[in-house]
Amino acid sequence: MDTILEKAKLWLTDTFDVETQKEIQNLIDTDQDQLADRFYKNMEFGTGGMRGIMGAGINRINKYTLGKATQGLSNYLLKTFPNKELKVAIAFDCRHNSKTFGKLVADVLSANGIKVFIFEDLRPTPELSFSVKHLGCDAGIVLTASHNPPEYNGYKVYWNDGGQIVPPQDGDIINEVNKLGFDEVNFEAQEDLIEMIGEKVDNAFIDASVKNGTFSTTKQRENLKIVFTSLHGTSITAIPNALEKAGYTDVNIVEEQRVPNGDFPTVASPNPEEPAALKMATDLAEKTNADIVIGTDPDCDRLGIAVRDLEGNMKLLNGNQTMCLMTSFLIKKWKEEGKLNGKQFVGSTIVSTNLVNEIADSFGVETKVGLTGFKWIAKMVREAEGKQDFIGGGEESFGYMVGDFVRDKDAVTATLLACEIATSAKANGSSMYQELLQIYVDNNFYKEHLISIVKKGMDGAQQIAQMMVDLRQNPVKEIDGSKVTFLFDYDASTKTNLLTGDVESIDVPKSNVLIYHTEDGTKVAARPSGTEPKIKFYFSVKDELCCIEKAKEIEAGLDTKIQRIIAEMKLA
């Protein structure tokens, strides 16, 4: 506790403003547990950048932790590109303090002689990715905490191709940040280096989204009945315009959720992965007899989709189902246009469904599989430039990227793509859900499930670490009666054959993820979050589907199997 108190007392010096000093002194006087949580570690970069609860302290998002991160980034850019006129684009979302933090970050960059383009108001995260390339920037920053609760905010850094930073850049930037004291941050803005951007970039982004997310062969767009909700987030600035430009005229917006609001007052969580978040939208869909519901998270990089099932009821698709529909549709379009020549690929992640691999393989298209997070898909695209064409890529957590004009998950273009799939199916007397079931018939019926176990604070972090130690040192030998064949340990970079004991190395960047594979095609993955106090378990099971009529029966069996596995692993 002495070390924590020493760290905290540094925040009582003149380096920090009076308000911050008062906040820390009050914690020292009244709340040792809260003080410990704020100072037991530094705010770190995870898979989504730097994300956390707002407040004073080294383990919080605030003026000083953001300032220090930005000073470190500035130093790194100045070293990496000497004698160059540096440019950085900045965007921010609807969260509390996002606009203030955006200006603060712009101030620090400009104070270091770096030209800044900052959006005049909130904008979708994918538009920031687009603007980095569009404006010829050396880096980009977005202030967002995605779908986290209202008390969170965060900071993501993008490189000059529009993709998020990856090794070795992220480590090098962190080294620069860690060298700094808070008293070395330059907050003295050079206002002449800060330029506001808005409508011109918006128009270019929406034009590119329509170009990449729609197809000339899609007819009768005016017949698709759409319900859209922005869940109080940034997508309201782009998606209605993109739909209109693409020719979708029957669009009902959930008015109660239209206005951006960092409190997200109509939902418990602004996460389109959760059915409750789309309840108002699906209710409106019933009133309007809509074909499709689309909802996006606050920074507009993830989307949730609900469509009508075989009985006509609205059914929320999971991220794996959405990415399979999108990947299949895109590959078929490339084939129709005569563009498949064996030099194309799609992107996926280690915890996403293997059905994507099966779909791509059936068309002779490679699936590149990376770690969780779209920065790895962006890295695939960058490394394949000039050698392979990128068709699209997704991950189970409700994100998809169409083409390479944006190098991050992009709910604007993915919304257009979802509507193209639904429109094409409707015009052919089918439905989006029937198209999904046909994919299962053509390949295999895959069912995925995710559970998250939350463990807060220092004790929670230790409990999560111990769970991973146990799974590594005492690997499960059998799952639901099927022998475990392989254990992939992405932290040790090893693939162990549990039947023979043979170990081989895997060429993927290190990450604290374990994945079990069984003889019957079951996959179970364990992954602690890089930015939140929780551990996630991903389950994937499969079975053959002979015909659409048997879909309910097969799905029920797979659901039961998943629940047996959860109980067997004592995770319920």
Side-chain angles (χ1 to χ4, degrees):
M1 197 61 194
D2 288 340
T3 309
I4 284 171
L5 188 59
E6 286 167 16
K7 289 178 182 176
K9 283 183 174 177
L10 292 174
W11 283 58
L12 302 177
T13 62
D14 290 343
T15 297
F16 303 90
D17 59 45
V18 173
E19 191 177 323
T20 298
Q21 291 180 46
K22 282 182 181 175
E23 187 176 342
I24 296 301
Q25 187 63 59
N26 182 55
L27 290 174
I28 291 172
D29 295 339
T30 65
D31 196 338
Q32 294 297 304
D33 289 343
Q34 180 67 212
L35 187 75
D37 193 55
R38 292 187 184 210
F39 284 94
Y40 82 93
K41 67 172 184 175
N42 286 305
M43 182 64 62
E44 296 170 354
F45 275 79
T47 54
M50 192 166 69
R51 189 189 304 172
I53 296 168
M54 291 177 278
I58 59 175
N59 188 31
R60 289 291 186 270
I61 295 290
N62 54 61
K63 170 182 178 179
Y64 300 100
T65 52
L66 291 176
K68 189 174 169 183
T70 308
Q71 184 65 54
L73 174 63
S74 300
N75 292 351
Y76 179 72
L77 287 168
L78 290 162
K79 284 183 180 178
T80 305
F81 303 111
N83 308 314
K84 184 180 189 295
E85 184 189 352
L86 295 168
K87 296 186 284 187
V88 175
I90 299 173
F92 52 89
D93 69 5
C94 57
R95 289 179 174 273
H96 298 302
N97 300 315
S98 281
K99 189 167 190 174
T100 303
F101 287 155
K103 179 59 168 68
L104 175 107
V105 168
D107 289 349
V108 174
L109 288 163
S110 69
N112 285 275
I114 296 169
K115 169 77 176 176
V116 178
F117 298 100
I118 183 169
F119 280 97
E120 61 197 2
D121 209 340
L122 75 172
R123 289 297 190 278
T125 288
E127 186 169 351
L128 183 277
S129 172
F130 170 82
S131 68
V132 170
K133 283 174 73 177
H134 181 68
L135 298 171
C137 293
D138 302 287
I141 297 166
V142 62
L143 285 302
T144 180
S146 187
H147 56 275
N148 282 67
E151 63 269 24
Y152 280 74
N153 215 316
Y155 176 98
K156 290 201 290 189
V157 179
Y158 292 74
W159 203 236
N160 53 19
D161 68 326
Q164 291 180 53
I165 54 168
V166 293
Q169 281 144 350
D170 55 357
D172 292 342
I173 291 167
I174 290 299
N175 288 339
E176 291 293 336
V177 174
N178 290 341
K179 288 178 191 174
L180 294 169
F182 288 106
D183 58 345
E184 295 176 84
V185 180
N186 188 348
F187 290 105
E188 299 300 318
Q190 293 187 50
E191 295 291 347
D192 59 324
L193 289 176
I194 301 174
E195 180 180 332
M196 290 287 176
I197 55 175
E199 189 177 359
K200 281 177 69 175
V201 178
D202 295 342
N203 291 338
F205 171 61
I206 289 171
D207 285 347
S209 295
V210 172
K211 179 182 175 185
N212 283 270
T214 61
F215 296 85
S216 59
T217 51
T218 304
K219 308 297 181 190
Q220 303 172 31
R221 291 190 180 105
E222 68 280 0
N223 291 340
L224 188 72
K225 293 179 178 294
I226 303 165
V227 166
F228 168 69
T229 177
S230 58
L231 296 179
H232 304 290
T234 61
S235 62
I236 199 68
T237 66
I239 286 179
N241 293 344
L243 287 169
E244 183 182 4
K245 196 155 215 169
Y248 290 100
T249 54
D250 195 344
V251 181
N252 285 280
I253 295 173
V254 179
E255 292 298 332
E256 300 92 330
Q257 297 175 330
R258 178 195 279 265
V259 177
N261 186 332
D263 287 321
F264 314 112
T266 64
V267 291
S269 169
N271 185 354
E273 294 179 64
E274 297 173 15
L278 295 185
K279 175 76 166 60
M280 294 180 86
T282 51
D283 286 350
L284 181 58
E286 295 300 349
K287 287 180 189 171
T288 59
N289 196 31
D291 300 301
I292 187 169
V293 165
I294 295 174
T296 57
D297 67 346
D299 68 328
C300 188
D301 57 2
R302 301 172 194 236
L303 79 166
I305 298 172
V307 295
R308 297 207 177 269
D309 64 15
L310 298 180
E311 282 77 44
N313 302 311
M314 294 307 297
K315 185 179 180 73
L316 184 66
L317 302 178
N318 65 41
N320 285 303
Q321 292 170 323
T322 296
M323 69 185 284
C324 288
L325 277 161
M326 291 182 170
T327 301
S328 178
F329 186 83
L330 285 173
I331 293 174
K332 285 176 181 174
K333 288 297 179 187
W334 278 63
K335 186 177 181 182
E336 285 172 17
E337 294 170 12
K339 296 196 296 184
L340 292 185
N341 60 7
K343 293 184 178 178
Q344 287 71 42
F345 76 96
V346 296
S348 184
T349 71
I350 56 175
V351 297
S352 298
T353 180
N354 283 5
L355 179 54
V356 164
N357 310 49
E358 285 195 30
I359 293 165
D361 191 53
S362 70
F363 288 93
V365 172
E366 180 189 356
T367 302
K368 294 182 189 289
V369 180
L371 296 175
T372 304
F374 262 74
K375 62 184 183 181
W376 302 109
I377 296 178
K379 183 173 184 279
M380 295 170 193
V381 178
R382 180 166 65 245
E383 291 176 345
E385 283 177 355
K387 294 174 282 188
Q388 284 179 291
D389 302 317
F390 175 67
I391 294 175
E395 63 180 0
E396 51 71 41
S397 58
F398 287 60
Y400 204 83
M401 183 167 93
V402 186
D404 71 349
F405 79 105
V406 166
R407 296 275 174 95
D408 201 359
K409 51 185 178 284
D410 171 12
V412 179
T413 316
T415 291
L416 294 173
L417 178 57
C419 291
E420 294 286 286
I421 298 167
T423 299
S424 297
K426 189 173 183 179
N428 293 326
S430 179
S431 71
M432 198 162 173
Y433 192 68
Q434 282 176 264
E435 294 300 305
L436 175 64
L437 295 181
Q438 190 58 50
I439 288 172
Y440 291 150
V441 172
D442 294 341
N443 299 276
N444 277 293
F445 197 137
Y446 278 77
K447 192 69 193 280
E448 280 79 25
H449 185 67
L450 166 68
I451 61 172
S452 295
I453 300 172
V454 177
K455 304 278 187 183
K456 292 188 176 179
M458 282 189 289
D459 289 345
Q462 289 165 1
Q463 289 175 49
I464 289 171
Q466 188 58 48
M467 289 173 80
M468 293 299 287
V469 168
D470 292 343
L471 287 166
R472 277 194 174 90
Q473 293 183 353
N474 305 298
V476 178
K477 297 293 197 303
E478 196 173 90
I479 296 175
D480 194 42
S482 181
K483 288 181 181 177
V484 174
T485 49
F486 293 102
L487 172 59
F488 287 76
D489 185 340
Y490 289 90
D491 200 43
S493 301
T494 58
K495 173 186 176 183
T496 303
N497 185 324
L498 294 186
L499 302 179
T500 65
D502 293 340
V503 180
E504 58 183 280
S505 61
I506 48 178
D507 185 22
V508 177
K510 287 183 182 296
S511 183
N512 191 14
V513 182
L514 289 171
I515 301 181
Y516 290 95
H517 289 258
T518 73
E519 287 182 329
D520 70 355
T522 294
K523 184 168 83 168
V524 178
R527 173 180 165 260
S529 171
T531 54
E532 300 169 75
K534 64 185 178 185
I535 182 169
K536 296 180 179 180
F537 287 89
Y538 304 79
F539 306 89
S540 177
V541 295
K542 70 174 184 175
D543 199 354
E544 291 182 357
L545 179 63
C546 65
C547 56
I548 286 177
E549 289 73 23
K550 291 281 188 182
K552 267 194 163 181
E553 179 185 328
I554 295 296
E555 184 171 18
L558 293 174
D559 283 334
T560 301
K561 182 179 177 71
I562 288 169
Q563 293 308 314
R564 284 199 307 267
I565 293 169
I566 291 171
E568 183 183 288
M569 295 184 71
K570 297 181 172 59
L571 297 172

